[in-house]
Amino acid sequence: MSEIDAIRTAILEDAGAEDLASLPLPEATRAAFVRADEQEMFADIPSDEKDPRTAIHVDDIPLPELAPDEAYVAVMASAINFNTVWTSIFEPVPTFGFLKRLGKESYWGKRHDLPYHVIGSDAAGVVLKAGSAVRNWKVGDRVTVQCLHVDDQDPSAHDDSMMATNQRIWGFETNFGGLAHIAVVKANQLMPKPALLTWEEAACNGLCNSTSYRMIVSRNGSGMSQGQAVLVWGATGGIGAYAVQYVLNGGGTPVGVVSSPERAALLHEMGCEAVIDRRAEGYKFWKNDGTQDPKEWLRLGKKIRELIGRDVDIVFEHPGRSTMGASVFVAKRGGTIITCAATSGYMIEYDNRYLWMNLKTLKGCHFANYREAWEANRLVGEGRIFPTLQKVFPLAETGEAAFQVHKNMSEGKIGVLSLAPEEGLGVTDPERRAQHLDKIMLFRRHA
Ligand code: NAP
């Protein structure tokens, strides 16, 4: 039996920490990666025709040396994020520049600067080995991984660590991410695996759930209070479906925007009553001459008033260029537009008069600090936030999984089985699972 098969078997048989620690580690690990010598492969091809399936390879790479503050995690499952898509279409820039910069920082940073980039910013699995400086985690611990990679010896990392000058997203701006059999993570990325979930359900929340927690709940984001109304673009998508849950949990009113009757039905099942099907409404915020159409912003604003009787306090913004003009317009006087992305284009345009005359705030937001990610993970563990997993692919088909996210072909999250041989494994609290099963399976039922 190969070393990795022995590790997998031990985890599946619930071997004790001592048995697990006694197993030899392989010299190489299976991983999904992009290659530096292919970063020009899509030059001159329009973004939506760039195909992650041709850029993502799955093969063995050498297992990197472990730093004292890191752990090897045997990844049972991982997930696709939109940053997997960005990396694999080499947009807005190839990620090898990030790895080069990290490589210049330190001895341990140098390991990351390689001609291949192991991707993936989510994982659930088991600690296989902990570096000498790791205190709170030990071999055998069942964990999920949050993707904030931060240098805790940098003073700038000691207020809100998202403000750290060398803050990075693991598996996007660092190497050795979660789409692998063995991942390398800093100890301060580890969180307890929610016991009520399977490996693949536990692996899909980290990045998107934490991002939405910060954007909606945290004072570092919009700090939504009870009774506020929030317009959520892409409300059944990766981050949007968690945002809707936080608005509902916090006593707010979500107004969810989606692009099909099926997605509208899913939103209703989530408990979101005010739903806008943007395709059925036919909004055309940009005219053919390349200027925006304020009448269309007004039409969206009227639709919101028709649905909830008032304007929204907060807009959860991420499509970017296609929607920002409308988002700034429809937020109420004094409202907040909170943005973490620009899927449709980052050179945005809005009418600044509506922002300043109506005292609105446009606020940038990015992932989450460890504390915020921990709280978001705790809520999943308590069954208060449910995973939005809809489809699952094996590691060998990571390219297809990323392609489907790129093409907006599914709702919620797409998971990836790494060492887990099949779906449905890893639950250690079946009673709590049974209490929340309906919600846990909601997105799967809509597959
Ligand atoms: P996703 O799963 O693909 O969902 C995005 C949703 O947005 C889609 O389902 C789609 O929903 C909607 N959408 C797409 N294009 C649109 C357009 N032109 N106008 C209006 N709606 C549009 O992606 P995700 O995981 O939610 O991520 C969304 C963005 O956030 C990505 O760019 C990602 O990189 C970014 N992100 C940033 C952070 C951060 O920390 N800064 C964290 C997570 C994600 P409908 O078609 O149903 O409307």
Side-chain angles (χ1 to χ4, degrees):
M1 195 188 288
S2 70
E3 285 113 338
I4 199 69
D5 282 337
I7 289 168
R8 183 203 322 259
T9 304
I11 293 171
L12 293 174
E13 290 175 353
D14 231 351
E18 248 177 61
D19 289 342
L20 208 52
S22 71
L23 294 174
L25 290 167
E27 283 180 7
T29 178
R30 185 63 48 92
F33 55 86
V34 294
R35 296 164 53 124
D37 61 2
E38 292 182 345
Q39 58 188 302
E40 298 300 328
M41 72 194 301
F42 296 133
D44 307 326
I45 297 179
S47 291
D48 61 346
E49 287 173 27
K50 296 180 180 174
D51 191 337
R53 293 174 297 191
T54 51
I56 294 177
H57 304 273
V58 179
D59 209 337
D60 288 348
I61 54 121
L63 189 64
E65 195 185 348
L66 194 68
D69 63 344
E70 291 175 344
Y72 287 136
V73 172
V75 180
M76 299 304 280
S78 180
I80 304 297
N81 284 292
F82 216 92
N83 70 12
T84 323
V85 176
W86 296 128
T87 311
S88 63
I89 62 172
F90 307 104
E91 282 197 23
V93 288
T95 44
F96 290 95
F98 302 144
L99 305 184
K100 270 213 166 3
R101 222 162 302 140
L102 174 54
K104 288 189 186 133
E105 275 183 12
S106 66
Y107 169 82
W108 296 109
K110 207 168 166 26
R111 290 170 304 165
H112 294 256
D113 183 11
L114 292 166
Y116 52 85
H117 183 185
V118 178
I119 53 182
S121 300
D122 274 321
V126 175
V127 175
L128 271 189
K129 183 173 177 177
S132 56
V134 177
R135 292 187 313 279
N136 298 336
W137 305 93
K138 55 184 190 324
V139 175
D141 285 348
R142 292 167 157 243
V143 293
T144 54
V145 179
Q146 60 88 14
C147 63
L148 172 59
H149 182 282
V150 77
D151 178 356
D152 61 10
Q153 291 179 27
D154 183 333
S156 67
H158 284 269
D159 182 4
D160 169 11
S161 51
M162 281 305 297
M163 293 296 184
T165 47
N166 55 8
Q167 175 276 324
R168 293 183 165 90
I169 297 297
W170 168 71
F172 178 58
E173 293 160 298
T174 81
N175 219 321
F176 318 129
L179 287 160
H181 282 171
I182 300 179
V184 178
V185 305
K186 282 181 178 281
N188 61 13
Q189 290 179 251
L190 294 172
M191 310 188 291
K193 174 191 167 290
L196 76 169
L197 299 183
T198 64
W199 292 114
E200 61 278 8
E201 289 161 359
C204 77
N205 309 298
L207 188 147
C208 285
N209 181 32
S210 310
T211 301
S212 298
Y213 178 92
R214 182 174 172 110
M215 287 179 80
I216 298 291
V217 182
S218 171
R219 274 172 297 167
N220 292 319
S222 63
M224 188 202 89
S225 44
Q226 291 193 19
Q228 289 198 317
V230 184
L231 182 75
V232 181
W233 291 104
T236 59
I239 49 176
Y242 292 100
V244 166
Q245 295 185 62
Y246 282 114
V247 176
L248 289 168
N249 283 3
T253 303
V255 180
V257 185
V258 286
S259 62
S260 71
E262 294 76 23
R263 289 182 180 184
L266 174 56
L267 257 189
H268 283 302
E269 257 196 85
M270 288 177 76
C272 178
E273 288 171 13
V275 176
I276 299 174
D277 179 340
R278 66 182 169 100
R279 199 149 287 161
E281 296 291 336
Y283 296 119
K284 195 157 184 240
F285 301 132
W286 285 89
K287 293 186 279 192
N288 293 341
D289 66 3
T291 63
Q292 292 199 64
D293 188 349
K295 286 201 235 64
E296 287 293 277
W297 302 343
L298 192 61
R299 200 154 73 80
L300 174 66
K302 278 189 176 157
K303 180 77 189 170
I304 293 169
R305 286 185 184 175
E306 192 184 301
L307 285 168
I308 62 167
R310 60 196 173 98
D311 296 333
V312 290
D313 302 87
I314 298 164
V315 180
F316 183 88
E317 165 64 48
H318 53 93
R321 184 173 172 78
S322 60
T323 53
M324 185 60 91
S327 294
V328 169
F329 179 82
V330 300
K332 77 162 200 192
R333 189 175 173 82
T336 300
I337 302 96
I338 185 117
T339 174
C340 75
T343 314
S344 64
Y346 50 83
M347 295 301 284
I348 59 158
E349 189 181 289
Y350 62 87
D351 186 335
N352 204 25
R353 291 170 298 179
Y354 291 110
L355 191 89
W356 97 70
M357 293 298 286
N358 296 301
L359 301 103
K360 305 182 190 188
T361 302
L362 173 56
K363 188 169 181 180
C365 202
H366 187 36
F367 188 57
N369 61 38
Y370 192 17
R371 177 61 188 259
E372 289 160 344
W374 188 280
E375 288 303 299
N377 185 61
R378 180 178 61 79
L379 293 166
V380 174
E382 290 176 4
R384 293 168 196 262
I385 291 289
F386 60 87
T388 60
L389 186 76
Q390 187 171 61
K391 293 181 191 166
V392 180
F393 288 84
L395 184 65
E397 288 173 33
T398 300
E400 174 63 29
F403 173 78
Q404 295 207 6
V405 173
H406 184 29
K407 292 288 174 189
N408 194 6
M409 286 165 69
S410 68
E411 288 81 47
K413 297 292 303 176
I414 293 188
V416 172
L417 290 182
S418 189
L419 286 173
E422 59 190 83
E423 295 174 43
L425 305 174
V427 176
T428 50
D429 188 345
E431 289 80 23
R432 180 167 284 198
R433 181 178 181 77
Q435 283 167 18
H436 299 282
L437 195 58
D438 199 43
K439 284 265 164 91
I440 291 172
M441 297 308 289
L442 179 57
F443 275 64
R444 304 303 296 271
R445 284 202 301 276
H446 279 260

